[in-house]
Amino acid sequence: MDRRGTRRSGRIGGLLGGVLLVGGALLVLRPVWADPPSAGAASSSGSSVAAAPAESPPSLREAPRPLPAAEAGIGRLIPDAACRDSQGRTVRLTELVAGSPWTVLAFTNATCPLCRKYAPVLARLEKEYAPRGVAFVFVNPTQKDKPDDVPFAGRYLLDTPGKLRAALGATSTTEVFVLDQRRTLRYRGAVDDQYGLGYALESPRQRYLAAALDELLAGRSPTVAATTAPGCVLEKEEAASAPTVPLTYHARIERIIQVHCLECHRQGGVAPFSLETYDDVAAHRGMIRRVVMEGRMPPWLAAPPPAGQPSPFLNDRRLPEADRRDLLAWLASDRPQGDPADAPLPLRFASGWTIGQPDVIYQLPQPIAVKAEGTMPYQNVFIDTEFEEDRWVQALEVQPTAREVVHHVLVFTLPPGSRRIVGGETTGFFAAYVPGNNKLIYPPGYAKKLPKKAVLRFQIHYTPNGKPTTDQTRLGLIFAKEKPRYEVQVAAIANLGFRIPPGAENHEVSARLPVPFDVRLLALFPHAHLRGKAARYELRTPDGTVTTLLHVPRYDFNWQLEYRFAQPVAVPRGSTLIYRAWYDNSANNPANPDPTRTVRWGEQTYDEMHLGYVEYVVDGLAGRMALLQGGLGGNPGGPPPADVRFPPEGVPIPERFQRLFQRFDTNGDKRIDPKEFEQLPPFLQNGVLEYLRANPPPAPPDKKD
């Protein structure tokens, strides 16, 4: 439907919302502001971030859980603690890490049951990775002598005073740490998930340590850089205290900049200036101080979790409070450089693909000319794939060659030989590039399907910037080695029929997605244009409990971020997912192209969109069968919600939409009655509901005795 098709007709015309199956997924500010009135109101759960839908007793089983890297201290300098080895010699951490590019410090002992189970696993990993330049050092935090039967070849340390434990911040007897030669922490957490508290598996599903080492050896940061490590609890010894790290550029600030800034602020990055050197940071200190204090950088738009609770999002970009405090204090001081020996190793950024070398690359066959001024219609380019069987995609990356003029790229999969341009942002995209996100790497056991001989349709939105150029976008794919346990799906909760009045400062638009089978949510991705102000995802479970999964109190069109859960969120059958967004169409919005205009759905940035993407997987036969029928959004949406009064005689179907509704109008009366409504897919239901909320039917007359 084009923009004109969304014009209000006096019936249900132009008020079509959408919740459609999407066959792909989208990838990867410290919020210090208050919620805007109405736009930031909390749900009935009172929570502003993801939480369990209902209270349940703590499980007696505990497996490793991925953690946000920054919260776990990834990238920090580990103090140069001293420890005694099994020969009675005192060694310092600097000495332990100096001889190898990567050093694994693995905690262990002879009394913890999980340590005993992991001893042969660690011995095999030591043997496997030693030829590749990885040293293993084993740390016993509870015994004063080395046990006789340890299977390890590496150095064995006895840390009963707890100084090394304090320096690393170790919390359990099974935790492992990976350091580089400058004592920078690059991974911490579990070896794998084969053993935990109260369970054991025949083989691990996630090999966290091995995966981290493989990525580090390949020159990439680990996809999962931190996890919990179930084991016997280690408490901090009162007498143990780690050496302090000086608040200097080389020891502290340079690592903060590396972790939180250099992804963009480097030579060849998308940011306007580099922060790779001391002089760079000092020269931009005023702007750095401002954006950090205001919560603009690093870019992260989700509301913070309640005090004392960890972030539910694995890719949380917020500055930890200690990093924020130290960075601002250093910027306000005389900015000492410190000892160059404390400096971290320089980060290496791939000049090509950040996911690693793709198995296959699809590039636009010809460059597309982008003019200097004005606007450009969406460009659609079709590329045939030649695989004779379905392929499973483990990682993907979209790379424009002229990023400065590319607003977004969506890649759709179409049937063999097809050249149809079907739907838009709410249908079937397979891969994407948007500001802040261009890649996706799935863990083992998860992948997306590339159907055999599929056609890839590239939809590209260019925004001229005053200088003519050309672009030849490409897509890189890495295939899984075997069929995954879970096929990743994405649904879009959308409303195509909204009307934002001129001058409206806080206009709310909502849409819903019924969940007819059990699913687990992996990630959320809210999308709007320049009038977007705030967004919120809610989960309503069958018992009526409403939980806020994600609250974005200050949406920013320039940073369309993915919010990936550290732990998948279980959504039971019979639940409803609700996506709400608020829009500022007033003159107070400096980004507003025209506050005097009524705004509807449209592709250009001067139009608007209401899209809340949901990435998910299903469990069980019922869920897999539902995927064959279209997954979330492809099944009948069920009865209307209780807050909408549905006229018993039905809702008239405008002439231009009668073909769309024809197969659901079972009695042929050109109306949608309550029974027919139940069989509508959610994207059509949302259009009817939007109309009924805007034009409620009169209440039935009171019955007289």
Side-chain angles (χ1 to χ4, degrees), residues 107-148:
F107 279 71
T108 184
N109 70 16
T111 58
C112 173
L114 289 180
C115 286
R116 292 199 296 268
K117 290 181 178 181
Y118 271 115
V121 178
L122 285 168
R124 288 195 299 270
L125 288 170
E126 180 184 25
K127 186 175 181 180
E128 177 183 354
Y129 283 93
R132 300 174 65 184
V134 179
F136 277 70
V137 176
F138 301 92
V139 183
N140 190 324
T142 60
Q143 294 172 285
K144 295 183 179 181
D145 296 298
K146 179 181 179 181
D148 296 330

Side-chain angles (χ1 to χ4, degrees), residues 202-516:
E202 179 65 25
S203 60
R205 294 172 180 166
Q206 304 293 335
R207 300 178 71 233
Y208 293 113
L209 176 58
L213 290 174
D214 289 342
E215 290 181 283
L216 290 169
L217 289 167
R220 303 191 302 270
S221 297
T223 302
V224 177
T227 77
T228 60
C232 298
V233 174
L234 294 176
E235 293 187 348
K236 183 178 179 180
E237 297 289 342
E238 292 186 5
S241 60
T244 58
V245 172
L247 186 55
T248 64
Y249 173 76
H250 289 307
R252 186 80 173 100
I253 303 306
E254 190 172 3
R255 286 175 170 82
I256 294 175
I257 298 295
Q258 279 192 350
V259 170
H260 298 286
C261 309
L262 289 196
E263 179 182 0
C264 299
H265 287 272
R266 57 183 171 85
Q267 295 297 324
V270 298
F273 53 83
S274 171
L275 293 176
E276 294 177 282
T277 68
Y278 173 87
D279 290 339
D280 291 337
V281 176
H284 295 93
R285 62 186 182 276
M287 194 62 187
I288 296 172
R289 182 187 299 114
R290 176 178 176 178
V291 297
V292 169
M293 292 182 68
E294 292 180 353
R296 295 179 181 272
M297 290 287 163
W300 184 252
L301 305 175
Q309 294 188 20
S311 172
F313 300 110
L314 183 62
N315 59 334
D316 192 327
R317 293 171 176 263
R318 290 176 303 139
L319 270 175
E321 184 54 37
D323 289 358
R324 181 177 184 273
R325 180 185 62 244
D326 286 353
L327 176 58
L328 291 175
W330 182 83
L331 290 170
S333 71
D334 58 358
R335 300 174 297 284
Q337 293 193 51
D339 187 349
D342 290 336
L345 295 172
L347 293 183
R348 291 186 296 166
F349 293 95
S351 58
W353 300 93
T354 60
I355 60 172
Q357 183 59 38
D359 294 318
V360 63
I361 299 171
Y362 296 102
Q363 187 163 23
L364 305 187
Q366 300 294 332
I368 294 178
V370 181
K371 61 184 183 179
E373 299 178 75
T375 62
M376 290 181 61
Y378 282 24
Q379 304 294 303
N380 287 277
V381 180
F382 300 86
I383 299 177
D384 294 305
T385 65
E386 302 296 334
F387 294 109
E388 297 291 338
E389 59 185 14
D390 295 340
R391 302 302 299 266
W392 295 98
V393 178
Q394 191 87 55
L396 55 86
E397 182 174 349
V398 179
Q399 284 192 348
T401 59
R403 286 180 293 181
E404 67 276 9
V405 294
V406 176
H407 174 263
H408 77 257
V409 180
L410 291 178
V411 183
F412 303 83
T413 58
L414 303 179
S418 174
R419 290 297 187 271
R420 291 184 303 145
I421 299 177
V422 290
E425 281 78 356
T426 58
T427 61
F429 69 82
F430 173 73
Y433 169 93
V434 294
N437 291 292
N438 76 318
K439 66 180 178 181
L440 184 66
I441 303 173
Y442 287 114
Y446 293 77
K448 294 167 65 175
K449 182 193 290 186
L450 177 65
K452 65 179 181 181
K453 291 194 172 182
V455 173
L456 297 176
R457 170 192 160 210
F458 286 70
Q459 179 207 80
I460 311 173
H461 181 190
Y462 292 109
T463 54
N465 67 350
K467 181 180 179 181
T469 187
T470 61
D471 173 70
Q472 197 171 5
T473 291
R474 59 183 184 167
L475 167 68
L477 305 178
I478 294 178
F479 296 124
K481 295 180 174 60
E482 58 187 5
K483 185 175 180 178
R485 183 181 182 191
Y486 298 107
E487 178 183 351
V488 176
Q489 299 282 334
V490 174
I493 312 174
N495 187 331
L496 283 69
F498 59 83
R499 293 162 53 91
I500 306 175
E505 291 189 10
N506 205 46
H507 184 78
E508 179 180 349
V509 179
S510 65
R512 65 172 194 149
L513 172 59
V515 181

